[in-house]
Amino acid sequence: MTSTLLVDIGLLATQDASLGEIRDAAIVVEGESIAWVGSAASAPAADARAGLGGQTVVPGFVDSHAHLVFAGDRGAEFEARMRGMPYAAGGIRVTVAATRAASDALLRGNVERLAGELLRAGVTTFECKSGYGLDVATEERSVRIAREFTPETTFLGAHVVPPDTSRDEYVSLVCGAMLDACAPHAHWVDAFCEQGAFDKDETRAVLLAGLSRGLGARVHANQLTEGPGVQIAVELGAASADHCTHLSSADVDALAGSSTVATLLPLAEFSTRSPYPDARRLIDAGATVALATDCNPGSAYSTSMPLAIALAVREMRLTPAEALRAATEGGAAALRRGDIGVIAPGRRADLVVLDAPSYIHLAYRPGVPLIAEVWRAGHRVVPSGDQEREVAARATTSPS
């Protein structure tokens, strides 16, 4: 028989439309799932009880865009940008050379390190892309290694064209032998539709090839220019159009009238000194918005979802409540997941405990380590070791 745990909470921000925000709240966790949510005063009996009075609980963050399988360092490129060099897509090739030369063990260790950083930052679900191999063998092992850490794996062979092949040959390779090798390990297919990367016809060909193999579609869209990426994403029913920095009115209308999520990546703009997306415009139009880290070695080497939330509030004109929703429910929508991103009965018990009286402090106190605890599938996973035992000791074993 599965035991139940009752958790008392100061402020619960459920992200569920019917439950809303509840003060002096409680959650009953049964196994990996949430069994009950409501006022602590009316909570049902449970086998054990834990107290988080005065703290805030939000859903586990959902990072729907990350590039964690890579080797090498591009700190010098970042330093050059800080001296005025503009960002362009070509820097990817530096990482490709290092990744091709790296062992499986090195790549696996890097993903493990970054996945641990994400977890400590409150991310309980993350997506992970390939894209730093650009040959069949390295792309295959990249998505295979990513699958060891998350089911949300994305084949991004269409990142840039490597310098040792022609465009037509490479697109054929991505749609053929490379896709054949990677599809068994991938959930999604993605393409970088941008000047210096892939044009609209190449992007459409790659996505259609992935869709024909049963993969879902995602698109790197409109990051550097007002290009065709968003329109292709909507046309093909992609789960997400990511970046969305430069949008026409037609792009905004297309996103608002579709199920394609606009996934915004403010850490990339922060790192590249680029204009931020107009999130307010998207929200007001009725589009679904997600926030993600875009953790990668070239343009956003950060695993901090709290910083992404703070930037979305400060630079992209979202309210704290809208930014939190984008980092939780929005990210779940971008992965087409109905089991995460919201605290409600039947959802997976993924929780983030903030050492703060409100989630507003994520933006109000940027850079401050407010993540006190992280629960994934009903288990405390942060803190770990001796700290975890201290946290567990706070729970009583008597029925409530």
Side-chain angles (χ1 to χ4, degrees):
M1 182 177 177
T2 304
S3 63
T4 57
L5 173 66
L6 176 64
V7 184
D8 294 305
I9 299 159
L11 172 64
L12 178 63
T14 69
Q15 306 310 300
D16 179 85
S18 60
L19 293 170
E21 296 180 14
I22 308 171
R23 290 200 173 273
D24 299 320
I27 299 173
V28 175
V29 175
E30 184 172 6
E32 296 184 351
S33 301
I34 297 167
W36 182 90
V37 177
S39 167
S42 57
D47 299 315
R49 190 164 191 150
L52 299 172
Q55 293 179 302
T56 299
V57 172
V58 302
F61 300 137
V62 181
D63 187 354
S64 60
H65 185 126
H67 306 250
L68 308 185
V69 188
F70 65 87
D73 179 85
R74 285 161 66 184
E77 178 185 323
F78 173 80
E79 193 273 339
R81 282 202 304 273
M82 297 305 101
R83 288 189 285 106
M85 181 180 293
Y87 172 71
I92 293 166
R93 296 186 179 94
V94 175
T95 302
V96 168
T99 303
R100 288 179 176 180
S103 66
D104 281 14
L106 190 151
L107 295 178
R108 185 175 291 109
N110 196 50
V111 178
E112 184 175 26
R113 174 179 63 85
L114 294 171
E117 289 182 11
L118 285 169
L119 186 62
R120 291 189 294 276
V123 173
T124 52
T125 302
F126 68 91
E127 179 260 14
C128 186
K129 304 179 191 294
S130 68
Y132 292 121
L134 309 188
D135 60 26
V136 173
T138 315
E139 285 295 304
E140 187 277 337
R141 69 183 177 127
S142 294
V143 74
R144 172 169 44 83
I145 288 169
R147 192 60 177 248
E148 297 175 18
F149 297 88
T150 178
E152 302 296 345
T153 52
T154 299
F155 166 51
L156 182 59
H159 207 176
V160 295
V161 178
D164 53 352
T165 186
S166 71
R167 300 190 66 83
D168 289 346
E169 289 173 340
Y170 187 67
V171 172
S172 295
L173 180 67
V174 170
C175 295
M178 191 180 288
L179 176 61
D180 290 341
C182 293
H185 311 292
H187 186 182
W188 305 96
V189 63
D190 196 348
F192 189 10
C193 185
E194 189 57 75
Q195 290 183 5
F198 295 86
D199 65 25
K200 63 180 181 180
D201 293 332
E202 295 163 341
T203 297
R204 185 180 286 107
V206 169
L207 297 180
L208 287 173
L211 288 167
S212 74
R213 294 296 302 272
L215 304 182
R218 323 183 68 75
V219 185
H220 279 60
N222 300 54
Q223 178 185 7
L224 307 177
T225 59
E226 193 178 291
V230 163
Q231 297 294 331
I232 293 172
V234 172
E235 170 197 331
L236 298 182
S240 183
D242 298 29
H243 286 290
C244 295
T245 309
H246 300 276
L247 300 179
S248 67
S249 296
D251 292 332
V252 174
D253 290 343
L255 288 166
S258 75
S259 62
T260 299
V261 175
T263 298
L264 310 182
L265 311 170
L267 295 170
E269 278 74 39
F270 178 82
S271 178
T272 60
R273 282 183 174 163
S274 300
Y276 286 88
D278 190 347
R280 178 81 271 135
R281 181 185 180 200
L282 286 162
I283 291 284
D284 289 347
T288 301
V289 170
L291 289 177
T293 67
D294 192 19
C295 179
N296 75 83
S299 62
Y301 199 11
S302 173
T303 50
S304 179
M305 188 67 86
L307 178 57
I309 290 170
L311 289 171
V313 172
R314 174 62 180 83
E315 302 292 344
M316 290 159 42
R317 301 195 298 146
L318 292 186
T319 67
E322 289 167 339
L324 175 62
R325 186 171 301 114
T328 53
E329 184 188 26
L335 296 176
R336 294 192 168 158
R337 294 279 296 271
D339 60 328
I340 57 176
V342 171
I343 298 172
R347 302 294 185 114
R348 198 170 78 182
D350 290 355
L351 313 171
V352 173
V353 181
L354 302 177
D355 188 13
S358 168
Y359 58 82
I360 295 170
H361 283 230
L362 290 167
Y364 179 44
R365 304 192 70 207
V368 176
L370 299 178
I371 309 295
E373 299 178 23
V374 181
W375 297 41
R376 185 168 56 193
H379 300 281
R380 283 189 182 95
V381 288
V382 175
S384 59
D386 292 339
Q387 288 177 304
E388 186 172 21
R389 285 190 286 274
E390 290 173 9
V391 170
R394 297 209 304 262
T396 68
T397 57
S398 60
S400 61

XYZ file of all heavy atoms in Angstrom, residues 43-110:
481
model
N -7.400 19.754 5.312
C -6.606 18.665 4.740
C -7.042 17.316 5.296
O -7.367 17.189 6.480
C -5.128 18.892 5.035
N -7.033 16.281 4.484
C -7.354 14.942 4.967
C -6.199 14.340 5.757
O -5.084 14.870 5.760
C -7.592 14.157 3.676
C -6.725 14.841 2.672
C -6.757 16.299 3.032
N -6.467 13.240 6.428
C -5.417 12.544 7.177
C -4.401 11.942 6.216
O -4.712 11.610 5.069
C -6.033 11.448 8.036
N -3.182 11.828 6.696
C -2.105 11.218 5.910
C -1.190 10.441 6.842
O -1.268 10.579 8.070
C -1.324 12.293 5.151
N -0.318 9.625 6.282
C 0.560 8.786 7.090
C 1.681 9.584 7.746
O 2.209 9.171 8.784
C 1.170 7.682 6.209
C 0.103 6.788 5.609
O -0.812 6.387 6.349
O 0.168 6.520 4.392
N 2.072 10.692 7.146
C 3.143 11.528 7.698
C 2.872 12.967 7.322
O 2.060 13.260 6.432
C 4.505 11.078 7.177
N 3.554 13.869 8.010
C 3.321 15.299 7.784
C 4.647 16.041 7.790
O 5.521 15.746 8.608
C 2.400 15.857 8.862
C 1.889 17.264 8.592
C 0.708 17.586 9.484
N 0.028 18.817 9.082
C -1.264 19.042 9.251
N -2.032 18.114 9.802
N -1.797 20.186 8.866
N 4.804 16.991 6.870
C 5.986 17.843 6.818
C 5.534 19.288 6.773
O 4.514 19.606 6.150
C 6.839 17.527 5.587
N 6.260 20.173 7.446
C 5.864 21.568 7.530
C 6.771 22.487 6.747
O 7.990 22.418 6.870
N 6.170 23.337 5.900
C 6.916 24.346 5.150
C 6.279 25.712 5.397
O 6.152 26.535 4.493
C 6.908 24.019 3.650
C 7.552 22.689 3.249
C 7.301 22.404 1.769
C 9.045 22.704 3.531
N 5.854 25.946 6.618
C 5.196 27.196 6.958
C 6.068 28.399 6.664
O 7.268 28.397 6.935
N 5.484 29.428 6.068
C 6.218 30.648 5.739
C 6.959 30.581 4.429
O 7.502 31.588 3.975
N 6.994 29.402 3.802
C 7.673 29.270 2.518
C 6.659 29.166 1.388
O 5.468 28.940 1.598
C 8.598 28.055 2.540
C 9.772 28.224 3.512
C 10.679 27.009 3.548
O 10.237 25.906 3.849
N 11.946 27.210 3.242
N 7.162 29.327 0.173
C 6.330 29.280 -1.019
C 6.643 28.024 -1.801
O 7.812 27.651 -1.949
C 6.590 30.523 -1.900
O 6.264 31.703 -1.151
C 5.761 30.486 -3.170
N 5.623 27.376 -2.324
C 5.812 26.201 -3.169
C 5.219 26.480 -4.544
O 4.089 26.976 -4.660
C 5.162 24.954 -2.538
C 5.202 23.772 -3.511
C 5.885 24.581 -1.245
N 6.005 26.165 -5.577
C 5.580 26.313 -6.967
C 5.841 24.985 -7.673
O 6.569 24.139 -7.156
C 6.337 27.464 -7.667
C 6.129 28.782 -6.935
C 7.834 27.151 -7.791
N 5.269 24.783 -8.842
C 5.591 23.551 -9.567
C 7.072 23.494 -9.940
O 7.737 24.531 -10.073
C 4.718 23.648 -10.824
C 3.653 24.630 -10.492
C 4.284 25.611 -9.554
N 7.586 22.293 -10.115
C 8.940 22.164 -10.643
C 9.052 22.869 -11.981
O 8.151 22.789 -12.826
N 10.133 23.602 -12.178
C 10.330 24.306 -13.449
C 10.509 23.292 -14.585
O 11.083 22.215 -14.392
C 11.552 25.220 -13.380
C 11.473 26.278 -12.318
C 12.582 26.569 -11.527
C 10.307 26.998 -12.107
C 12.527 27.536 -10.542
C 10.238 27.975 -11.132
C 11.353 28.249 -10.339
N 10.035 23.663 -15.764
C 10.138 22.813 -16.956
C 10.979 23.557 -17.980
O 10.546 24.579 -18.527
C 8.749 22.493 -17.525
C 8.883 21.583 -18.745
C 7.870 21.826 -16.463
N 12.186 23.061 -18.222
C 13.115 23.688 -19.165
C 12.986 22.971 -20.510
O 13.513 21.884 -20.701
C 14.548 23.590 -18.630
C 15.534 24.365 -19.480
O 15.141 24.885 -20.544
O 16.714 24.445 -19.089
N 12.289 23.595 -21.439
C 11.956 22.934 -22.702
C 12.946 23.227 -23.824
O 12.667 22.893 -24.991
C 10.546 23.359 -23.146
O 10.468 24.766 -23.326
N 14.106 23.791 -23.498
C 15.110 24.073 -24.547
C 16.487 24.127 -23.911
O 16.825 25.098 -23.224
C 14.790 25.404 -25.235
C 15.669 25.732 -26.403
N 15.168 26.032 -27.654
C 17.024 25.809 -26.531
C 16.171 26.290 -28.480
N 17.309 26.171 -27.808
N 17.292 23.090 -24.145
C 18.659 23.063 -23.604
C 19.548 22.233 -24.515
O 19.098 21.275 -25.147
C 18.677 22.493 -22.182
N 20.825 22.618 -24.574
C 21.841 21.922 -25.371
C 22.951 21.481 -24.411
O 23.903 22.227 -24.172
C 22.464 22.851 -26.409
C 21.503 23.556 -27.324
N 21.404 23.253 -28.665
C 20.625 24.564 -27.111
C 20.513 24.046 -29.244
N 20.019 24.857 -28.308
N 22.847 20.294 -23.856
C 23.775 19.897 -22.799
C 24.853 18.926 -23.254
O 25.799 18.677 -22.513
C 22.998 19.261 -21.633
C 21.824 20.054 -21.052
C 21.269 19.328 -19.826
C 22.232 21.472 -20.706
N 24.727 18.365 -24.455
C 25.707 17.378 -24.923
C 26.751 18.089 -25.769
O 26.558 18.336 -26.961
C 25.033 16.257 -25.725
C 26.041 15.144 -26.021
C 23.842 15.688 -24.981
N 27.857 18.423 -25.145
C 28.925 19.121 -25.856
C 30.227 18.984 -25.081
O 30.246 18.573 -23.923
C 28.588 20.613 -26.035
C 28.506 21.393 -24.751
C 29.648 21.957 -24.197
C 27.295 21.557 -24.096
C 29.588 22.679 -23.001
C 27.217 22.273 -22.909
C 28.363 22.830 -22.362
N 31.305 19.367 -25.729
C 32.615 19.448 -25.077
C 33.236 20.792 -25.447
O 32.823 21.456 -26.402
C 33.518 18.298 -25.515
N 34.239 21.182 -24.679
C 34.962 22.406 -24.980
C 34.401 23.623 -24.274
O 33.398 23.554 -23.562
N 35.064 24.765 -24.525
C 34.727 26.018 -23.843
C 34.774 27.148 -24.857
O 35.645 27.175 -25.736
C 35.744 26.270 -22.722
C 35.477 27.565 -21.979
O 34.652 27.538 -21.057
O 36.086 28.598 -22.334
N 33.826 28.075 -24.746
C 33.792 29.227 -25.653
C 33.795 30.533 -24.882
O 33.190 31.526 -25.272
C 32.585 29.114 -26.577
C 32.805 28.073 -27.672
C 31.539 27.590 -28.321
N 30.865 28.625 -29.072
C 29.684 28.452 -29.676
N 29.083 27.282 -29.603
N 29.119 29.442 -30.341
N 34.510 30.526 -23.761
C 34.628 31.733 -22.971
C 35.281 32.871 -23.728
O 34.923 34.043 -23.539
N 36.246 32.546 -24.597
C 36.915 33.596 -25.365
C 35.945 34.275 -26.318
O 36.007 35.490 -26.540
C 38.089 33.001 -26.143
N 35.012 33.496 -26.874
C 33.997 34.063 -27.759
C 33.077 35.005 -26.980
O 32.719 36.089 -27.466
C 33.176 32.933 -28.374
C 32.056 33.382 -29.279
C 31.201 32.212 -29.752
O 31.754 31.128 -30.007
O 29.973 32.397 -29.835
N 32.714 34.603 -25.765
C 31.883 35.472 -24.919
C 32.623 36.772 -24.624
O 32.057 37.867 -24.728
C 31.544 34.756 -23.615
C 30.842 35.633 -22.614
C 29.486 35.891 -22.727
C 31.540 36.229 -21.573
C 28.831 36.708 -21.816
C 30.902 37.044 -20.657
C 29.541 37.287 -20.786
N 33.900 36.657 -24.287
C 34.691 37.856 -23.969
C 34.762 38.783 -25.179
O 34.664 40.010 -25.044
C 36.081 37.439 -23.511
C 36.900 38.547 -22.867
C 37.689 39.373 -23.855
O 37.941 38.878 -24.977
O 38.067 40.507 -23.516
N 34.881 38.192 -26.387
C 34.929 39.008 -27.602
C 33.607 39.729 -27.824
O 33.597 40.900 -28.236
C 35.265 38.121 -28.800
N 32.504 39.050 -27.539
C 31.207 39.718 -27.674
C 31.099 40.888 -26.711
O 30.530 41.934 -27.033
C 30.066 38.732 -27.415
C 29.751 37.803 -28.552
C 28.332 37.251 -28.449
N 28.069 36.582 -27.197
C 28.324 35.292 -26.954
N 28.884 34.545 -27.901
N 28.016 34.753 -25.790
N 31.628 40.717 -25.516
C 31.573 41.796 -24.540
C 32.441 42.990 -24.982
O 32.260 44.102 -24.497
C 31.994 41.310 -23.162
C 31.076 40.232 -22.570
S 29.313 40.719 -22.476
C 28.610 39.870 -23.921
N 33.351 42.734 -25.921
C 34.150 43.823 -26.491
C 33.528 44.386 -27.752
O 34.103 45.274 -28.384
C 35.567 43.336 -26.791
C 36.424 43.101 -25.552
C 37.886 42.831 -25.904
N 38.103 41.490 -26.436
C 38.334 41.195 -27.708
N 38.358 42.160 -28.623
N 38.523 39.952 -28.102
N 32.353 43.857 -28.157
C 31.642 44.448 -29.278
C 31.457 43.581 -30.499
O 30.796 43.987 -31.454
N 32.019 42.354 -30.517
C 31.837 41.491 -31.679
C 30.395 40.985 -31.704
O 29.886 40.489 -30.698
C 32.801 40.298 -31.616
C 32.692 39.350 -32.797
S 33.869 37.969 -32.666
C 35.419 38.874 -32.859
N 29.698 41.083 -32.843
C 28.297 40.630 -32.889
C 28.180 39.112 -32.834
O 29.088 38.387 -33.249
C 27.800 41.180 -34.230
C 29.032 41.288 -35.072
C 30.139 41.670 -34.123
N 27.039 38.627 -32.337
C 26.793 37.198 -32.288
C 26.336 36.712 -33.653
O 25.561 37.363 -34.339
C 25.710 36.866 -31.251
C 25.278 35.419 -31.299
C 26.128 34.412 -30.870
C 24.033 35.057 -31.798
C 25.747 33.076 -30.933
C 23.642 33.726 -31.858
C 24.513 32.745 -31.427
O 24.131 31.429 -31.486
N 26.834 35.541 -34.069
C 26.395 34.888 -35.303
C 26.387 33.383 -35.067
O 26.973 32.878 -34.106
C 27.337 35.238 -36.462
N 25.726 32.648 -35.962
C 25.535 31.212 -35.755
C 26.821 30.407 -35.943
O 26.908 29.270 -35.513
C 24.455 30.698 -36.706
N 27.837 30.965 -36.601
C 29.020 30.196 -36.969
C 29.849 29.663 -35.825
O 30.629 28.720 -35.996
N 29.741 30.243 -34.616
C 30.537 29.776 -33.491
C 30.240 28.351 -33.089
O 31.034 27.710 -32.381
N 29.099 27.815 -33.536
C 28.736 26.435 -33.237
C 29.825 25.473 -33.688
O 30.084 24.455 -33.041
C 27.385 26.094 -33.913
C 26.260 26.899 -33.265
C 27.084 24.599 -33.850
C 24.962 26.889 -34.056
N 30.487 25.802 -34.782
C 31.478 24.875 -35.343
C 32.651 24.642 -34.399
O 33.293 23.593 -34.440
C 31.971 25.398 -36.692
C 30.864 25.470 -37.751
C 31.394 25.863 -39.123
N 30.321 25.907 -40.109
C 29.627 26.988 -40.446
N 29.918 28.138 -39.858
N 28.683 26.934 -41.341
N 32.967 25.607 -33.538
C 34.038 25.427 -32.553
C 33.677 24.301 -31.596
O 34.501 23.429 -31.279
C 34.281 26.743 -31.780
C 35.301 26.537 -30.673
C 34.726 27.850 -32.733
N 32.438 24.302 -31.139
C 31.982 23.252 -30.240
C 31.895 21.912 -30.954
O 32.146 20.858 -30.354
C 30.615 23.619 -29.640
O 30.738 24.869 -28.951
C 30.122 22.565 -28.666
N 31.548 21.923 -32.227
C 31.456 20.677 -32.988
C 32.798 19.959 -33.001
O 32.874 18.743 -32.767
C 30.976 20.953 -34.421
C 31.147 19.719 -35.308
C 29.519 21.397 -34.407
N 33.871 20.684 -33.235
C 35.191 20.046 -33.274
C 35.533 19.404 -31.933
O 36.021 18.268 -31.875
C 36.249 21.078 -33.655
N 35.268 20.099 -30.845
C 35.568 19.555 -29.517
C 34.673 18.365 -29.191
O 35.117 17.386 -28.573
C 35.403 20.646 -28.470
N 33.413 18.427 -29.592
C 32.475 17.350 -29.286
C 32.816 16.092 -30.071
O 32.746 14.974 -29.544
C 31.037 17.809 -29.577
O 30.763 18.990 -28.817
C 30.028 16.738 -29.222
N 33.171 16.240 -31.326
C 33.572 15.076 -32.117
C 34.776 14.371 -31.506
O 34.875 13.141 -31.540
C 33.884 15.496 -33.549
C 32.678 15.864 -34.392
C 33.105 16.286 -35.787
N 31.967 16.569 -36.659
C 32.072 16.949 -37.929
N 33.277 17.110 -38.484
N 30.979 17.176 -38.644
N 35.686 15.140 -30.935
C 36.913 14.567 -30.389
C 36.727 13.983 -28.990
O 37.589 13.253 -28.495
C 38.013 15.629 -30.363
N 35.620 14.292 -28.334
C 35.409 13.888 -26.936
C 34.970 12.432 -26.840
O 34.327 11.891 -27.739
C 34.354 14.782 -26.288
N 35.286 11.821 -25.721
C 34.829 10.461 -25.449
C 33.378 10.472 -24.976
O 32.861 11.508 -24.530
C 35.695 9.817 -24.378
O 35.513 10.486 -23.133
N 32.740 9.314 -25.036
C 31.391 9.202 -24.491
C 31.384 9.564 -23.011
O 30.460 10.221 -22.522
C 30.858 7.775 -24.653
C 30.355 7.493 -26.059
O 30.647 8.287 -26.975
O 29.677 6.464 -26.239
N 32.406 9.115 -22.300
C 32.470 9.373 -20.857
C 32.540 10.863 -20.565
O 31.900 11.354 -19.626
C 33.665 8.650 -20.239
N 33.311 11.594 -21.356
C 33.409 13.039 -21.136
C 32.058 13.709 -21.405
O 31.605 14.550 -20.623
C 34.495 13.630 -22.028
C 34.889 15.097 -21.760
C 36.333 15.337 -22.142
C 33.992 16.068 -22.525
N 31.404 13.341 -22.516
C 30.114 13.941 -22.839
C 29.071 13.599 -21.780
O 28.297 14.455 -21.346
C 29.645 13.466 -24.212
C 30.500 13.892 -25.413
C 29.937 13.302 -26.698
C 30.590 15.409 -25.529
N 29.074 12.334 -21.348
C 28.118 11.910 -20.329
C 28.350 12.675 -19.024
O 27.397 13.103 -18.360
C 28.252 10.406 -20.109
C 27.226 9.818 -19.149
C 27.343 8.309 -19.085
N 26.919 7.677 -20.327
C 27.770 7.082 -21.190
N 29.080 7.048 -20.944
N 27.309 6.525 -22.289
N 29.592 12.856 -18.661
C 29.912 13.583 -17.439
C 29.471 15.028 -17.498
O 29.023 15.596 -16.497
N 29.575 15.638 -18.670
C 29.157 17.034 -18.805
C 27.643 17.159 -18.691
O 27.124 18.078 -18.035
C 29.630 17.595 -20.146
C 29.575 19.113 -20.202
O 30.066 19.793 -19.304
N 28.972 19.646 -21.240
